[in-house]
Amino acid sequence: MVFDCVVWCAKYLLCIFNFIFFVLGTIIFGVGLWLAVDKHSLIALLKLVESERIEQFTQTQVIEQLAYVLIVIGAVMFFMSFLGYLGAMRESRCLLSTYATFLILLLVAGIVAGGLAAFYKEKVRAESKNFLQTTITSYSLGENVDASTLMWNQLMGNFGCCGITDYHDFDASPAWKENKGNRTIPEACCVLKDVAALVPRDEDCVTNPSDSNSFYKKGCYEVFTEWLIGQRELIIIVIGVGIVHLILIILAFSLCKAFAKYNDMRL
């Protein structure tokens, strides 16, 4: 009787977990599909850019790439959770074994990816900086700005930094060099009194930057890295996801063993 109660609890606990992930996966997949089909609605809804800039912004591949990532993540969550839920409800050892195997593969892939990132830390840092360098080469001024420029303005304005390592990084952008006039740094590199509108506190900041009125010597790469490392909530979330992952694997294999025992008793 006690054994029956434990199996019952394990079965419905696995069902509850997978039902939650099923709902989340469906939502993520739906959002990704929406982004892929109708990008204009998202931009207008979030007011990321002014209405006259929407067409210019949507010409980039940023939203499309985000949509594809969400679709893949949502589809994987949908498939895995459906497999686990159906296997538990139908008491199918085949489905549960397949589900647990997929979970193990995902867990191993995550551990390997994390290990490689730690082992090749310097290479990862170099590749990250190279990626950022490719985005900063299109930095521009004026009304017709692209997604990379918007991303950099938001990053610098909110984190109080300038360029990748410092303000010299903008010299790699032909559009910046052509349109900067007498500017030394972009407005986003200044100490701002209005972050949304990128209004510097000191009007002379863009032409005569200093340590007091700007962040022109403070690179965004190091600032963002330090911020990311300091996010305890993110570490807690990662650990929590790993624990849930292990629990699901244990539950799936435990139920497989329990169902096999029941089948043998029936024989």
Side-chain angles (χ1 to χ4, degrees), residues 21-49:
F21 286 122
F22 178 82
V23 173
L24 291 175
T26 303
I27 293 173
I28 293 173
F29 182 83
V31 171
L33 198 61
W34 173 47
L35 289 180
V37 174
D38 187 9
K39 297 177 288 293
H40 292 76
S41 296
L42 174 72
I43 298 172
L45 178 64
L46 298 180
K47 298 179 180 179
L48 292 177
V49 289

Side-chain angles (χ1 to χ4, degrees), residues 127-218:
E127 290 297 328
S128 301
K129 286 187 176 181
N130 288 337
F131 170 75
L132 291 175
Q133 191 64 50
T134 60
T135 62
I136 208 170
T137 53
S138 61
Y139 188 87
S140 59
L141 298 169
E143 294 295 322
N144 297 321
V145 296
D146 60 7
S148 296
T149 301
L150 291 169
M151 178 199 74
W152 274 107
N153 285 339
Q154 289 298 315
L155 180 63
M156 294 186 296
N158 286 284
F159 283 89
C161 55
C162 188
I164 303 169
T165 56
D166 58 30
Y167 70 103
H168 292 295
D169 294 318
F170 293 103
D171 293 335
S173 171
W176 161 255
K177 295 174 70 175
E178 181 181 350
N179 300 308
K180 69 175 184 177
N182 63 345
R183 290 180 176 87
T184 302
I185 60 173
E187 284 80 356
C189 290
C190 297
V191 177
L192 304 173
K193 65 179 180 181
D194 187 343
V195 177
L198 300 178
V199 179
R201 187 178 299 170
D202 182 358
E203 295 180 357
D204 295 328
C205 170
V206 293
T207 55
N208 296 299
S210 66
D211 293 333
S212 61
N213 64 10
S214 72
F215 306 99
Y216 74 123
K217 293 181 180 178
K218 194 175 183 180

Side-chain angles (χ1 to χ4, degrees), residues 243-265:
I243 292 173
V244 171
H245 204 127
L246 288 173
I247 290 174
L248 292 177
I249 293 174
I250 293 171
L251 287 175
F253 279 124
S254 298
L255 286 175
C256 283
K257 186 176 180 180
F259 295 153
K261 183 176 181 180
Y262 275 132
N263 290 336
D264 292 340
M265 291 173 61

Side-chain angles (χ1 to χ4, degrees), residues 1 8 19 28 40 42 49 51 53 63-64 72 85 112-113 124-125 133 156 158 161 166-167 186 200 206 214 238:
M1 183 64 68
W8 185 88
F19 179 76
I28 293 173
H40 292 76
L42 174 72
V49 289
S51 58
R53 300 185 196 173
I63 295 181
E64 285 87 345
V72 171
Y85 183 86
V112 170
V124 171
R125 288 171 64 91
Q133 191 64 50
M156 294 186 296
N158 286 284
C161 55
D166 58 30
Y167 70 103
V206 293
S214 72
V238 172

